[in-house]
Amino acid sequence: MDAIETLRQDVREKRISADRLIDLVVALQRQVQTLQQQLEAANQCIEELEKKLGGPSTPKVDEPFSLRAEEQRQEARGQKKRKEKQKRRRGRFNSSDKIAQAERTERVFPEGVPPEACQRSHVRPVWRLENGRAVLIAYEIYRGPKTQYGKIPGVLGRSEFGLEIVTEIAYLVYIVGLSFDKVCVLLNFFQNLRLHKSQADALLYQLARHWEREFDALCTLLANSLVVHADETSWSLNSVWAFLSEKARVLLFGVHKDADTLKQILDPAMFGGLVISDDAATYANFTKAQKCWAHLLRKAIKLTLQDPNNAAYRTFTDRLLEIYHESCRVRRDQRLGDAGRARKVAVLDDEIFDLCAALWFADLPPLEGLDNDYRLLVNEVMRLAIAEELFSFVTAKPVELPNGTTKPVDGTNNEAERTLRGAAQARLTGRTNKTLAGARRQTILTSVLESLRLYLKSFTLASVVDEMKRWWVAGHSCFTKLLKKLKLALPEQSILDQILPSPSG
């Protein structure tokens, strides 16, 4: 029962006198007067503050108050007559206007047909890169007596841009990591080429379709490599997976990070080379493996930073780092043969055993905090040593790259991690593909461009364009050439379609 109901009950039952009731009413009146005075004082303070701040806040206007909106209101009131706008050119330039702007004209005849037997069919304007700037060339296409048409070298289909321009756009977008807006600004500023984002987007899709066969060739070369670095990271669509070998560099965007995807690109049951990776369970079934020393050392160093006063952590970390440096020296020692390196590896295994045996044989149950992290790390190092996955890089022979250089096998997976750094940064800033079609395109273009690093002694736009010209003349790429040299055949079903099916079917 509240206070008012109690008061009513007391009055009905005459438990409260009239004088008491009058005193109560007077007290309430005084309280109301006090509150009114406080309210008036508060309103006065608000008025003074509004005067100091320039008056009350501006009321919200529902109608638009732009210049164009006001002109429309004046027209509705009949105060102002709208002026007729001059018609401006909208849409694309037609071919005749582009041909009129061309710097020169070149004739293109069908291959193997005498020029005197051909007739001019049509003219196509194409932008090309010459001496670092964009040049518009009008190509006169001639037709042979048997309806053979001349083909413009270095131009995809009916594109109005040379292959060198499309390759440059792909490099800036997917290797450098620039946005389409910035790429268009760079092309306009440095090479005097005006390009819209929609044009750049369409050109990259066209190039990706042209390079689909090259991607399948790279996957075949990867499956027949000697050494493969493998690493993955999360992405806007599923994950990004990098496979780097001496013959190919394949990056898969928007794929699932599981055993089924790995089996399609690098089947553990069929691959006989060395796989360098972290200690993820996905890579557990390969015959030859080298686990990343950087991952183990980072875990050990983290323990010493979390508890600097723990002598056991410091001793373990220092000794583990010494063993790794010693293994790197053995790998670089040119005086040692295969047998000598095998003996050195046996000694290194004994050193790992001496370092980890005490805690390993103790077989401790799960502990708490850093002590449990230390126990897990010691067990991991010992398990990898028993599986012979710590010093495989010491006895592995250097691999020869297609450009003629040799490269020693590394004991860490840092190369794959560096390759994925751009994709990881793009994920954090939201600059990633949001569709499977875009992921498929990025997979093809990035893999082909990254793989060209292995085949060219200098990776520049000029060298890449020269290589593209050789592809055009020979009718096949350097990847297909290596496949034929190794007597390898492309799979009957496209690997790309299995991993990243085309959205269009």
Side-chain angles (χ1 to χ4, degrees):
M1 187 177 294
D2 56 8
I4 297 177
E5 188 64 28
T6 304
L7 179 61
R8 288 177 179 175
Q9 188 70 20
D10 291 341
V11 172
R12 293 192 194 101
E13 297 177 0
K14 299 181 180 180
R15 288 197 298 264
I16 184 171
S17 64
D19 294 337
R20 174 60 180 162
L21 188 59
I22 293 172
D23 293 340
L24 183 60
V25 172
V26 172
L28 291 175
Q29 288 180 344
R30 290 176 181 174
Q31 195 172 19
V32 170
Q33 290 177 357
T34 302
L35 293 175
Q36 288 179 346
Q37 292 175 358
Q38 292 177 354
L39 181 60
E40 291 176 359
N43 290 332
Q44 186 176 0
C45 292
I46 292 174
E47 292 178 359
E48 293 177 357
L49 289 174
E50 288 180 348
K51 291 178 181 179
K52 292 180 181 180
L53 297 175
S57 59
T58 306
K60 184 177 180 181
V61 180
D62 295 331
E63 297 184 11
F65 46 89
S66 64
L67 179 61
R68 176 61 185 150
E70 181 59 24
E71 290 177 350
Q72 291 177 348
R73 285 190 288 268
Q74 290 180 358
E75 292 176 9
R77 294 194 300 265
Q79 297 179 2
K80 184 177 180 181
K81 187 177 180 180
R82 183 176 180 181
K83 294 182 179 180
E84 293 291 335
K85 283 188 175 182
Q86 295 181 356
K87 293 184 179 181
R88 298 181 180 180
R89 182 185 184 89
R90 299 182 65 184
R92 300 178 58 185
F93 286 92
N94 55 43
S95 297
S96 59
D97 293 335
K98 297 175 184 178
I99 294 171
Q101 296 176 2
E103 294 192 10
R104 69 175 186 270
T105 302
E106 293 185 5
R107 297 179 177 181
V108 181
F109 296 95
E111 185 178 358
V113 180
E116 58 273 10
C118 300
Q119 294 181 352
R120 196 179 82 163
S121 172
H122 57 279
V123 181
R124 280 183 54 195
V126 178
W127 285 98
R128 310 303 297 259
L129 285 183
E130 294 182 353
N131 299 322
R133 72 182 187 94
V135 177
L136 184 60
I137 301 176
Y139 288 96
E140 294 183 347
I141 310 299
Y142 282 77
R143 182 182 60 188
K146 298 182 180 180
T147 321
Q148 313 101 310
Y149 288 90
K151 295 183 180 180
I152 305 175
V155 178
L156 300 178
R158 302 179 62 182
S159 175
E160 295 181 354
F161 298 89
L163 191 59
E164 64 277 7
I165 295 178
V166 188
T167 304
E168 181 182 10
I169 296 173
Y171 177 82
L172 292 175
V173 172
Y174 291 131
I175 305 301
V176 180
L178 299 181
S179 64
F180 281 115
D181 289 311
K182 292 181 179 179
V183 170
C184 294
V185 170
L186 286 177
L187 293 176
N188 188 22
F189 184 80
F190 287 105
Q191 297 168 340
N192 196 27
L193 176 62
R194 292 185 179 181
L195 195 70
H196 296 289
K197 288 194 303 182
S198 58
Q199 290 177 299
D201 183 65
L203 290 173
L204 291 187
Y205 274 116
Q206 187 179 30
L207 182 61
R209 289 191 296 269
H210 181 68
W211 278 352
E212 286 183 358
R213 184 177 178 82
E214 310 306 331
F215 180 82
D216 286 336
L218 291 174
C219 292
T220 305
L221 291 172
L222 178 73
N224 292 272
S225 299
L226 297 176
V227 178
V228 175
H229 289 258
D231 196 16
E232 73 289 328
T233 185
S234 58
W235 205 52
S236 58
L237 294 173
N238 302 319
S239 302
V240 185
W241 215 327
F243 297 93
L244 314 178
S245 76
E246 77 281 1
K247 296 183 179 69
R249 297 169 68 92
V250 176
L251 282 85
L252 305 174
F253 293 83
V255 297
H256 293 284
K257 187 173 61 177
D258 52 21
D260 292 336
T261 304
L262 182 63
K263 183 178 180 180
Q264 291 174 338
I265 192 72
L266 200 68
D267 190 354
M270 302 295 294
F271 184 71
L274 177 65
V275 175
I276 303 176
S277 66
D278 54 26
D279 196 24
T282 311
Y283 308 108
N285 298 322
F286 286 98
T287 305
K288 301 177 182 178
Q290 168 64 56
K291 299 308 177 183
C292 179
W293 269 91
H295 282 75
L296 301 174
L297 293 172
R298 289 184 201 131
K299 294 178 182 179
I301 294 172
K302 182 179 179 181
L303 289 174
T304 62
L305 296 177
Q306 291 175 321
D307 190 359
N309 298 323
N310 193 304
Y313 299 167
R314 172 54 59 187
T315 301
F316 179 82
T317 302
D318 292 343
R319 184 62 185 131
L320 191 65
L321 190 58
E322 290 175 0
I323 295 174
Y324 171 66
H325 286 158
E326 186 178 351
S327 64
C328 293
R329 287 192 295 269
V330 173
R331 184 201 63 179
R332 294 192 300 265
D333 195 343
Q334 299 297 325
R335 300 170 298 177
L336 297 174
D338 295 341
R341 284 192 173 85
R343 289 192 297 270
K344 293 289 186 179
V345 167
V347 175
L348 294 172
D349 287 333
D350 292 340
E351 293 177 359
I352 290 291
F353 181 82
D354 294 340
L355 178 63
C356 304
L359 192 58
W360 169 267
F361 285 115
D363 195 16
L364 297 175
L367 305 176
E368 294 182 358
L370 298 180
D371 290 337
N372 191 58
D373 294 339
Y374 176 58
R375 179 187 68 86
L376 293 175
L377 177 59
V378 171
N379 291 344
E380 181 181 4
V381 173
M382 193 66 179
R383 173 174 53 82
L384 296 178
I386 294 174
E388 298 182 354
E389 295 180 348
L390 284 180
F391 303 109
S392 300
F393 77 103
V394 178
T395 56
K397 295 183 179 180
V399 293
E400 183 179 357
L401 305 183
N403 59 12
T405 61
T406 57
K407 180 182 178 182
V409 179
D410 201 354
T412 68
N413 205 26
N414 291 340
E415 183 179 5
E417 292 181 354
R418 288 192 299 267
T419 304
L420 292 177
R421 189 170 300 162
Q425 293 174 346
R427 177 198 66 212
L428 296 176
T429 56
R431 296 181 292 107
T432 58
N433 288 304
K434 304 301 185 295
T435 63
L436 288 177
R440 179 185 172 103
R441 178 179 70 179
Q442 186 170 358
T443 295
I444 298 171
L445 298 182
T446 306
S447 298
V448 173
L449 290 175
E450 286 287 351
S451 297
L452 280 173
R453 296 179 185 271
L454 306 175
Y455 291 77
L456 303 176
K457 293 185 177 181
S458 61
F459 187 66
T460 62
L461 178 61
S463 62
V464 171
V465 171
D466 290 341
E467 181 63 26
M468 299 293 177
K469 292 179 180 178
R470 284 192 289 270
W471 294 8
W472 196 273
V473 174
H476 59 264
S477 66
C478 54
F479 314 131
T480 306
K481 181 180 178 181
L482 183 58
L483 279 178
K484 294 180 179 179
K485 181 180 179 181
L486 298 175
K487 298 181 180 180
L488 299 174
L490 290 175
E492 296 180 0
Q493 185 179 1
S494 172
I495 301 176
L496 179 65
D497 292 337
Q498 297 178 45
I499 300 174
L500 287 170
S502 177
S504 59

